[in-house]
Amino acid sequence: MTLSGTAGWAGLARRGPEIVRWLRLGSGLVMFTYVFLHFVNHSLGNISLDAMEQGALIQEWIWRGPVGTVVLYGAFAIHLPLAFWALYTRRSLRMGWIEGVRLLLGFLIPLLVLQHALAERFAYSYYGVHVIYRHTLLNLWVLNLLTAGLRQLAVFLIAWLHGCIGIYLWLRVKRHFHQVAPFLLVIAVLVPTVALLGAIQGARQVETLAHSDPAWLANLRQTGFAAHPDVTAALWTIALWSWGGYAGALVLVFIARAARGLVERRGGTVRVVYPDGRAVRVPKGLSVLDASRRAGIPHASICGGRARCTTCRVRVLLGSETLPPPSPAEIRALAPLGADRAVRLACQLNPTADISVWPLMPPAATVRDQDQFNATETGAERFVAILFVDIRSSTQLVESRLAYDVVFILNRFFEAAGSAIIAAGGAPNQFIGDGMMAIFGTETDPARACRQALEAARLIDWHLAEMNRSLANELQQPIGFGIGIHAGEVIIGTMGYREHAQMTAIGEAVHIASRLQDLTKEYDCQLVVSEIVGTSAGVTLNDFASHEIQVRGLSAPLRMRAIDSAAALEGPLTGVEAEQDVDKVVPIYARSR
Ligand code: FES
């Protein structure tokens, strides 16, 4: 790729976060390999001290040669600044516990490992002091166990744990990770355990020799740091300066974060509205996931915001026309889902204007849920409005009439309601006894789907009034009805058995719409509409009575409006565009085979 012109640089800038992630992963893997081989070498202590020292020669050949030196220290020179950068760019310090542990351990490692690195490598390269296993074991495990020894043990475990968590977070979004996870866990536990046992065995051999053979000990002290007290003092000075510099750099990162916060607040804010009506105002430049984290709204994000898991995905209900285009990483992550353009990754979406979003995965989603939701061969996710309409007093209708009359009246009812639904742009989908379910939005956007559903309710009232007038002589009393409307993400697919299969929708939104229809009896009204329908449709329903119910699986109560007469929607719908072209709409059941 050539970087001719601003387009090339712009493309590179858009891929920047992805490049940073790969650099961090690559450099981390190099250092993890170093730690792993270090542990393998320690394990040789289970054989003998000599075996450890023979193995150390191979390690030195690998890591002290020109290639090994560049690779190892290059990795360190990349990984540490990128860790500072990650801390700076992270907009919220709210995170999952595992990410928090990784971050904390990662920043502890340089502090704890510094002296060991100076003694083992810097002293060798700069002062020519060659330290071998017996020097280190004597110093750490025999002479200074409670100070230097325990510190070394801590860094030993912290570095390993930090690396293992990093690898876990990297691999856990992979499709077959759960199959290999038990084996990886065994390796993660076994390697440091065997290494620690090897180090203890080596240390005990050194201790035995030191106590039983004074000549051996005197001879050992002719080499290593015992023979260079001046170098020890110099290394202390270097360590103190390095610790100070490291702490200063950390403080600078937090100062930079605070300064950025001030600048961002001056640059304006945007409002992110959630399905339960909560609105979170955040500075421009923050992602939707940042907004959720800041407001403490549970939001699935298995990969921690790296555009690798798609569990944070949301459907943008309002404001999609103002959104910045997706980055290459976002496009790549969403492509397998076959999602439409209103579906975006919350961790990658930085809104520049107010938006309304609908998180598509439950907050506690796992990678397995992800697979389940991605099963496009069995259906597709889609945001739709669901309408349930049910005839009132049907029992009396059946009891007082002949079967022929009942079927005739019910068919007239279905005709009146169904034609209203089709005229509004929806699709009658299921006829259940004396009621019917309709779907809106299989071929249109969420806002229009919700407007269509409201318009359908108004038309049903009108059509049924007409029907009641025309059947006035047949009916003892006019046919009444109740309607429930809700909107949400459902799975649309062909379901059923052989030639009886038909396209339908399943999901929580369907159950809720049905429940809202039941509530029309309790509230003694024609129509109950969830708040999300009005919000998505851009229709103001504030004049109607507001209620709340607790729905299992939802973190907040569901708000809804009870509307005595669906005809009263005429005012709110006036001026709001609604699809009423019957020819453009093919009933969903007609496309099901
Ligand atoms: S959190 Fe994983 S893709 Fe957004």
Side-chain angles (χ1 to χ4, degrees), residues 289 301-312 345 347:
L289 185 63
S301 58
I302 291 177
C303 74
R306 296 178 181 79
R308 293 181 50 231
C309 69
T310 77
T311 53
C312 66
L345 294 183
C347 65

Side-chain angles (χ1 to χ4, degrees), residues 7 13 62 71 73-74 126 138 213 265 270 279 289 314 366 403 425 538 551 576:
I62 297 172
V71 169
Y73 291 93
Y126 198 73
L138 182 71
D213 189 349
R265 271 193 281 280
V270 292
L289 185 63
V314 294
T366 64
V551 176
V576 181

